Amino acid sequence: MTTAEQKVTLGFEAEVKQLLNLMIHSLYSNKEIFLRELVSNASDAIDKLRFLALTHEALYEGDAELKVRIEFDKANRTISITDNGVGMNREEVQQNIGTIARSGTRKFFESLTGDEAKDSQLIGQFGVGFYSSFIVADKVVLETRKAGHNQSDGVRWESTGEGDYTLETIDRPERGTRVTLHLRADEDEFLDGWKLRSIIRKFSDHISVPILMTKDKVTGDDEEEKATEVEWETINSASALWAKSKEDISDEAYNEFYKHVSHDFQEPWARLHSRVEGTNEYTLLLYVPAHAPFDLWDRDAKRGVRLYVRKVFIMEDTEKLMPRYLRFVRGVIDSDSLPLNVSREILQENKQLEKIRSGAVKKVLGLLEDIAANEPEKYATFWKEFGSVLKEGPIEDFKNRERIAKLLRFASTHTGSDAQTVSLADYLARMPEDQDKIYYITAESYGAAANSPHLEVFRKKGVEVLLLHDRVDEWLVGYLTEYEGKHLQSVAKGNLDLSKLGEDEATDKEQQEKLTEELKPLTERVKTALGDSVSDVRISHRLTESASCLISEDYGLSRTMERIMKAAGQQVPASKPVLEINPGHAIVNHLKHEADEQRFNDLARILFDQAVLSEGGQLDDPSQFVHRINSLLQGLMQ
Ligand code: ADP
Ligand code: MG
């Protein structure tokens, strides 16, 4: 087979095409970032090779001097970025460069609005990587050969960024990748050594491998002299950023490094740079992003935190380095004490790594605590992005449960807004002395929580209730049952005893018992009418306005949890709710004297159905409900 025969033209995925167009327009004002992206890829490829070569030295092919070179050619109007890293084979080129093999891609495209300013923000969050080449180039050629493979297994990828690309097999003696950009007509400014150097210093100084450019020469026109006199010089500081001392690192350098490890285009929300001394020494340079990435909810997403051993990259696997509830953390952990030739398998159960991980978690929690305490407004922006992830914390990390609980924020009846701004500490601070529980309600939306009939008596008594309306809240309260010795109590569960909370007829114990006794015939009759639908019917002390509500027993699943599970197609253990009826309500009063059996049954059923509806549930038989209501209404009209 000749090389020409092996050349194929392939179409980009539709999404790549769309992304390219959008990116070229929206990132144009920031076009020099292409260099950062290509250098970032080159540096990653070198890191990968260095790791593989720890166990297969032959992969160096006799050349262990790892470096990135940047060249430009004024005559041909090209810039090229060359690395001697791991390289790619044909399938990898197709996979990595021809498709967007990134999770969350579809969601990204769905969230595009057509508004350029907004979309460019989104593009920034998504990260465009290699494709940013097309901002300045109308043709991009990538030539690569994988380390350890034959030189005849080289690959050339070429595209004008307009829908398709070609792939062909080439001879390539050098391992690694060379990307050549053929600049668009107006982009000559980049054909300038000084300009390129200044961009590299600005964006890529932190890259730990040397980035080389040829020295600008002042020699004459002698062609031969030119060819022999090429002299390379390193233009970045080429040392691991995290190993430097804090005073020597500028905010810009920190931020650019963040962009490199996170593939994010925006500045981080916060960072922490810390060195832990002792028998197990390590350095942490960790960041919290300003925005949730598109794959935040993707269980397979692994990117984020990189493990280095004495500056040698070992792996990138957030899950082993951070618990899931901190999966948004990005950055580097560099250990001095792990063995260099450590394999990924060994790392699985490495005690030292365990310690590093738990040390890193403590530091991240410390960072969050710090900002929560000193910059509450800033903390609120974090909470909006990652609050529902952090709520997994008490579920996943028993040891740090108390600390995480302090970081949680909720909506509450006190603020009357769906913004989650109330901490458990705030709640405790406002709590009257005779209140001994932290009250909350769970629901599927803020509206359902805030307007739930279960809150009526709490409103009347002025008792604050936390309004939990995130999916994860249901799980959270299953694990976080106590805070500072105070029990967390659902207002929709069990028998409430609010008698301690101030003098009040409705919650006076004796009064309640009397009423319950008095109305026993009624509750019994309603229970008979509802048959299998309820486990019990009781006189309510929660309701002041609504006629009825449903509650679950203290230790059963909450009603919200049951609905979530049902919606997810899960088996829900058979449990029946308790119907509470409001003795002060006109319908209930009327029922006491309703002699007509059919009407009594209809009204009882309506009380039940209303309670289901008001908690945001669905009726088993909505048409029956409508039918019953209508026959009552018709009764009125006669
Ligand atoms: P990202 O770096 O965020 O993964 P890019 O679009 O920058 O996204 O690159 C896509 C993929 O292409 C990389 O993940 C890598 O697998 C591959 N790649 C890009 N450049 C190189 C290179 N110089 N050497 C080896 N692989 C590369
Ligand atoms: Mg990249």
mmCIF file of all heavy atoms in Angstrom, residues 49 51-60:
data_model
loop_
_atom_site.group_PDB
_atom_site.id
_atom_site.type_symbol
_atom_site.label_atom_id
_atom_site.label_comp_id
_atom_site.label_asym_id
_atom_site.label_seq_id
_atom_site.Cartn_x
_atom_site.Cartn_y
_atom_site.Cartn_z
ATOM 1 N N LEU A 49 4.595 10.468 28.587
ATOM 2 C CA LEU A 49 5.726 9.637 28.191
ATOM 3 C C LEU A 49 6.646 9.379 29.380
ATOM 4 O O LEU A 49 7.101 8.253 29.606
ATOM 5 C CB LEU A 49 6.515 10.308 27.061
ATOM 6 C CG LEU A 49 7.779 9.531 26.652
ATOM 7 C CD1 LEU A 49 7.414 8.178 26.044
ATOM 8 C CD2 LEU A 49 8.636 10.328 25.672
ATOM 9 N N PHE A 51 5.982 9.198 32.417
ATOM 10 C CA PHE A 51 5.400 8.197 33.306
ATOM 11 C C PHE A 51 5.573 6.792 32.733
ATOM 12 O O PHE A 51 6.020 5.878 33.423
ATOM 13 C CB PHE A 51 3.915 8.483 33.554
ATOM 14 C CG PHE A 51 3.240 7.368 34.292
ATOM 15 C CD1 PHE A 51 3.485 7.182 35.647
ATOM 16 C CD2 PHE A 51 2.395 6.477 33.637
ATOM 17 C CE1 PHE A 51 2.889 6.137 36.340
ATOM 18 C CE2 PHE A 51 1.798 5.433 34.324
ATOM 19 C CZ PHE A 51 2.046 5.264 35.679
ATOM 20 N N LEU A 52 5.241 6.630 31.449
ATOM 21 C CA LEU A 52 5.339 5.294 30.845
ATOM 22 C C LEU A 52 6.784 4.813 30.845
ATOM 23 O O LEU A 52 7.069 3.631 31.027
ATOM 24 C CB LEU A 52 4.796 5.314 29.412
ATOM 25 C CG LEU A 52 3.299 5.591 29.290
ATOM 26 C CD1 LEU A 52 2.915 5.794 27.827
ATOM 27 C CD2 LEU A 52 2.492 4.445 29.902
ATOM 28 N N ALA A 53 7.710 5.733 30.655
ATOM 29 C CA ALA A 53 9.124 5.366 30.560
ATOM 30 C C ALA A 53 9.702 4.968 31.914
ATOM 31 O O ALA A 53 10.781 4.374 31.974
ATOM 32 C CB ALA A 53 9.924 6.518 29.954
ATOM 33 N N LEU A 54 8.985 5.264 32.984
ATOM 34 C CA LEU A 54 9.471 4.822 34.292
ATOM 35 C C LEU A 54 9.607 3.311 34.308
ATOM 36 O O LEU A 54 10.494 2.743 34.919
ATOM 37 C CB LEU A 54 8.490 5.233 35.394
ATOM 38 C CG LEU A 54 8.402 6.711 35.766
ATOM 39 C CD1 LEU A 54 7.272 6.934 36.755
ATOM 40 C CD2 LEU A 54 9.714 7.205 36.348
ATOM 41 N N THR A 55 8.686 2.645 33.621
ATOM 42 C CA THR A 55 8.735 1.183 33.575
ATOM 43 C C THR A 55 9.201 0.650 32.221
ATOM 44 O O THR A 55 9.567 -0.508 32.111
ATOM 45 C CB THR A 55 7.349 0.594 33.918
ATOM 46 O OG1 THR A 55 6.354 1.375 33.250
ATOM 47 C CG2 THR A 55 7.092 0.640 35.415
ATOM 48 N N HIS A 56 9.166 1.451 31.177
ATOM 49 C CA HIS A 56 9.648 1.022 29.856
ATOM 50 C C HIS A 56 10.594 2.070 29.302
ATOM 51 O O HIS A 56 10.204 2.909 28.478
ATOM 52 C CB HIS A 56 8.473 0.840 28.884
ATOM 53 C CG HIS A 56 7.506 -0.202 29.338
ATOM 54 N ND1 HIS A 56 6.392 0.097 30.069
ATOM 55 C CD2 HIS A 56 7.511 -1.539 29.190
ATOM 56 C CE1 HIS A 56 5.736 -1.012 30.358
ATOM 57 N NE2 HIS A 56 6.399 -2.034 29.829
ATOM 58 N N GLU A 57 11.820 1.968 29.743
ATOM 59 C CA GLU A 57 12.747 3.024 29.378
ATOM 60 C C GLU A 57 12.975 3.129 27.887
ATOM 61 O O GLU A 57 13.309 4.192 27.361
ATOM 62 C CB GLU A 57 14.076 2.819 30.117
ATOM 63 C CG GLU A 57 14.564 4.146 30.686
ATOM 64 C CD GLU A 57 16.036 4.116 31.027
ATOM 65 O OE1 GLU A 57 16.424 3.202 31.792
ATOM 66 O OE2 GLU A 57 16.767 4.993 30.529
ATOM 67 N N ALA A 58 12.775 1.979 27.190
ATOM 68 C CA ALA A 58 13.012 1.948 25.751
ATOM 69 C C ALA A 58 12.151 2.981 25.015
ATOM 70 O O ALA A 58 12.485 3.387 23.899
ATOM 71 C CB ALA A 58 12.730 0.549 25.212
ATOM 72 N N LEU A 59 11.063 3.411 25.645
ATOM 73 C CA LEU A 59 10.178 4.376 24.990
ATOM 74 C C LEU A 59 10.878 5.701 24.699
ATOM 75 O O LEU A 59 10.454 6.467 23.840
ATOM 76 C CB LEU A 59 8.932 4.621 25.847
ATOM 77 C CG LEU A 59 7.955 3.454 25.941
ATOM 78 C CD1 LEU A 59 6.815 3.779 26.893
ATOM 79 C CD2 LEU A 59 7.394 3.110 24.558
ATOM 80 N N TYR A 60 11.968 5.944 25.410
ATOM 81 C CA TYR A 60 12.716 7.176 25.136
ATOM 82 C C TYR A 60 13.459 7.113 23.802
ATOM 83 O O TYR A 60 13.900 8.129 23.284
ATOM 84 C CB TYR A 60 13.725 7.454 26.255
ATOM 85 C CG TYR A 60 13.115 8.116 27.469
ATOM 86 C CD1 TYR A 60 13.483 7.720 28.753
ATOM 87 C CD2 TYR A 60 12.200 9.152 27.333
ATOM 88 C CE1 TYR A 60 12.946 8.332 29.877
ATOM 89 C CE2 TYR A 60 11.650 9.760 28.452
ATOM 90 C CZ TYR A 60 12.024 9.354 29.710
ATOM 91 O OH TYR A 60 11.484 9.959 30.813
#
